């Protein structure tokens, strides 16, 4: 029975490669439809935070004139939308709609003594228009929702309200967005983007519907949620009203935006929420208020990169006013932002040159949903690729691991489609670069017996062949994780940290124990020798150096990785010069080291350990495409540049090695 299994197992390897190729073919139409999805909308909406402009104007001698001047400037610079928030007493005071007084100020204003036991908020309307449009909103907020006492009063023929709450408390209660501000902005040609929060408590479906209806009548069709949660969110599933919010938004034809760069995702902003909106979601890039003081060219770089490399369709600009002690005035950095948009190297020209146009942001139109069954083929093909990788270490388990893996992943698919696809994408992402690199090692080992040397051209061809095998894993990841929720980063590739470590570990383990072993007995003997070897100081030093290198490597990995100032300048130079920046670790280190390792390994057995570092380049290729929010063609160009530059730099590596080797042979110890 065992002998029969081993016979089948030996033949299975060839057949598993055909299964992998079948999965590769199935991934092609899925990748093609992803490209169509990414190209389905090219509009980019630049939005400014109107509340920030109000706060800046409060520091100016003529706030209203300042607001009007900058609105015209912004309109000319390409800003076509204004973000309007739920209003508050403080905001309405800054807008000069009302004047607000606490109990002491009221006493001074009216000349009446303070009434013990009363701590109210007193406000006067600045105009009849303000009274007509704001009083109903305030009464609904404070009297109907908050259940506070609201009465009217007059002073010097000006009408106002008395709210039975202290000012600090009353100011925390959000109200509908300021209708007067929205009227003014729309008359000037701006679109309105509404910012709604979860602070209107208790949640009222009728109140929310009334608000959405009013916004819809103004032509508002996109809500960007403000704060930490979607309107209606509650930790208790029975009290969670997010589904009702989604239904109301859909009823009035409204979509939303997924905000990037948040430390903590907004609660309630889930795949199911987006699905209830028919995925009427766009990606939003915020320029934080702390970034408004950056140089205009840095602001432009951030905005262009967001659109071109991250599929952002809404750019949300913030600013803040701060004391500029050097120049002696209150600086709101609006000049910085406008120059960043409309300067000689401004973002608007560069965005348009990249094939986009300014306009109202639209969601992606998803293509390829009818191709979803092809993902089952990819699951089986992925199981085959993982089994082939296991076979490099334990050949007898190829067939068993394929059978168990196939049954397991298909069973998981029935229970959780998303989990099965993400698990397989991770497995393939780890195994493809590992398999590709170990196959390269094996090929060079076989070549050693026939040819005792390898030219740079030969090493280059091995590197290119290895990269092609890695691309199989890329296509699997692209096909498995194709879908609008991945492009919107509502779901994403899981296990990036392990992806950057496991291939290095596996290739290193193979080089250390399996590369020159004949069967498990040899592997065990080599492992035993290592375990019982005497540890010297140099081993400890090398282990510490290796640990430091791995730590630095991990700190440089991912979107939150740290880079030096010099490297940041190089990144900007490459980005602006090439349009797409290749990855440093690929073309400076990993790819050249791979070619050098292949070049050296024929003559120097210990060069095999260089492949453990060189596999970083192969896993980085997979990782580049695992950034699912990046357009597919951008990822392809980035990888292509990395390979081309890496090949060029490998000439320097090989030349340096030859100089050192010849010098050692000539002047080293005899």
């Amino acid at each position: 029975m065992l002998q029969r299994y081993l016979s089948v197992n030996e033949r299975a390897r060839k057949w598993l490669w055909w299964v992998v190729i079948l999965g590769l073919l199935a991934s092609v139409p899925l990748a093609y439809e992803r490209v169509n999805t990414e190209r389905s909308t090219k509009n980019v909406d630049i939005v400014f935070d109107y509340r920030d402009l109000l706060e800046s104007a409060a520091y100016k001698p003529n706030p209203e004139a300042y607001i009007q001047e900058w609105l015209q400037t912004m309109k000319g610079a390409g800003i076509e939308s204004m973000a309007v928030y739920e209003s508050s007493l403080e905001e309405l005071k800054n807008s000069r709609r009302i004047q607000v007084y606490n109990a002491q100020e009221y006493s001074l204003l009216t000349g009446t003594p303070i009434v013990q036991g009363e701590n109210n908020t007193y406000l006067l309307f600045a105009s009849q228009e303000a009274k007509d449009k704001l009083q109903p909103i305030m009464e609904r907020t404070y009297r109907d929702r908050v259940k506070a006492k609201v009465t009217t009063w007059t002073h010097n023929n000006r009408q106002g309200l008395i709210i039975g709450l202290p000012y600090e408390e009353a100011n925390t209660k959000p109200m509908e967005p300021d209708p007067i501000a929205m009227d003014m902005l729309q008359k000037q040609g701006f679109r309105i983007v509404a910012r709604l929060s979860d602070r209107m408590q208790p949640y009222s479906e009728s109140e929310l519907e009334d608000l959405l209806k009013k916004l819809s009548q103004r032509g508002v069709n996109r809500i960007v949620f403000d704060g930490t949660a979607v309107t209606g969110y509650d930790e208790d599933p029975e009290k969670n009203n997010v589904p009702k919010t989604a239904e109301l938004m859909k009823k009035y034809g409204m979509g939303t935006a997924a905000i990037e760069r948040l430390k903590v995702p907004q609660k309630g902003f889930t795949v199911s929420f987006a699905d209830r909106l028919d995925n009427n979601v766009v990606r939003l890039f915020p320029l934080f208020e702390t970034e408004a003081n950056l140089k205009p060219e840095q602001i432009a770089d951030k905005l262009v990169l967001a659109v071109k490399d991250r599929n952002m369709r809404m750019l949300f600009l913030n600013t803040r006013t701060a004391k500029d002690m050097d120049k002696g005035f209150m600086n709101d950095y609006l000049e910085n932002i406008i120059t960043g948009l409309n300067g000689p190297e401004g973002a608007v020209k560069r965005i348009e040159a990249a094939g986009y146009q300014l306009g109202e942001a639209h969601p992606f139109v998803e293509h390829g949903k009818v191709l979803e069954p092809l993902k089952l083929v990819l699951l089986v093909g992925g199981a085959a690729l993982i089994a082939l990788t296991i076979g490099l270490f334990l050949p007898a388990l190829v067939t068993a691991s394929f059978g168990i893996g196939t049954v397991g992943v298909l069973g998981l698919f029935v229970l959780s489609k998303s989990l099965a696809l993400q698990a397989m994408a991770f497995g393939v992402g780890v195994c493809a670069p590992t398999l590709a690199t170990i196959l390269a090692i094996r090929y060079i080992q076989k070549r050693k017996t026939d040819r005792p040397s390898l030219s740079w051209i030969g090493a280059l061809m091995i590197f290119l062949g290895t990269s092609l095998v890695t691309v199989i894993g890329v296509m699997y990841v692209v096909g498995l994780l194709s879908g609008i929720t991945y492009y919107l980063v509502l779901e994403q590739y899981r296990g990036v940290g392990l992806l950057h470590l496991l291939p290095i570990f596996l290739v290193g383990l193979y080089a250390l124990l399996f590369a020159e072993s004949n069967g498990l007995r040899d592997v065990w003997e080599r492992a035993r020798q290592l375990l019982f070897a005497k540890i010297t100081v140099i081993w400890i030093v090398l282990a510490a150096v290796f640990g430091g290198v791995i730590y630095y490597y991990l700190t440089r990995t991912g979107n939150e990785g740290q880079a030096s100032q010099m490297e940041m300048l190089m990144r900007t130079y490459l980005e602006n010069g090439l349009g797409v920046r290749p990855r440093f670790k690929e073309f400076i280190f990993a790819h050249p080291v791979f070619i050098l390792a292949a070049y050296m390994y024929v003559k120097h057995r210990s060069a095999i350990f260089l492949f453990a570092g060189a596999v970083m380049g192969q896993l980085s290729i997979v990782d580049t495409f695992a950034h699912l929010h990046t357009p597919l063609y951008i990822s392809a160009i980035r990888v292509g540049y990395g390979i081309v530059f890496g090949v060029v730099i490998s000439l320097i590596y090989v030349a340096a090695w030859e100089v050192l080797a010849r010098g050692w042979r000539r002047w080293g110890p005899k």
Side-chain angles (χ1 to χ4, degrees), residues 80 221 295 321 369 443 501 510 634:
E80 298 182 352
N221 55 25
K295 295 179 180 179
T321 303
K369 294 193 74 172
Y443 175 79
L501 282 179
Y510 183 85
I634 292 289

Side-chain angles (χ1 to χ4, degrees), residues 436-553:
T437 303
I438 293 176
L439 289 178
I441 294 172
R442 287 190 166 192
Y443 175 79
I444 297 171
Q445 286 176 324
K446 289 181 181 179
R447 186 186 174 100
K448 276 185 180 183
T449 58
D450 301 327
R451 301 179 187 177
S453 64
L454 184 67
S455 67
W456 176 83
I457 293 293
L460 170 62
M461 298 308 294
I462 292 172
F463 165 69
L464 294 177
T466 302
S467 299
L468 284 176
V469 176
T470 298
V471 168
I472 294 175
V474 166
M475 294 300 293
Y476 269 74
V477 171
V478 170
L480 287 164
L481 303 185
S482 63
I484 194 71
T485 56
Y486 293 103
Y487 313 150
L488 296 173
V489 198
L490 299 175
E491 293 184 285
Q492 54 189 312
Y493 186 93
R494 301 292 181 183
V496 172
L498 286 175
L499 171 63
H500 284 84
L501 282 179
L502 282 179
I504 298 172
F505 170 76
L506 292 172
V507 172
L509 183 68
Y510 183 85
L512 193 64
L513 299 179
F514 292 84
E516 297 182 2
S517 299
N518 295 315
L520 289 179
R521 183 170 296 179
D522 280 0
V523 172
W524 169 249
E525 183 59 28
R526 291 174 69 85
R528 190 186 65 81
Q529 291 174 3
L530 286 172
L531 289 172
F532 291 97
K534 293 181 179 180
I535 298 176
T536 61
V537 173
I538 190 64
W539 280 44
I540 298 174
V541 172
L542 290 175
V545 171
F546 177 75
V549 170
I550 291 296
Y551 175 77
Y552 175 74
Y553 166 66

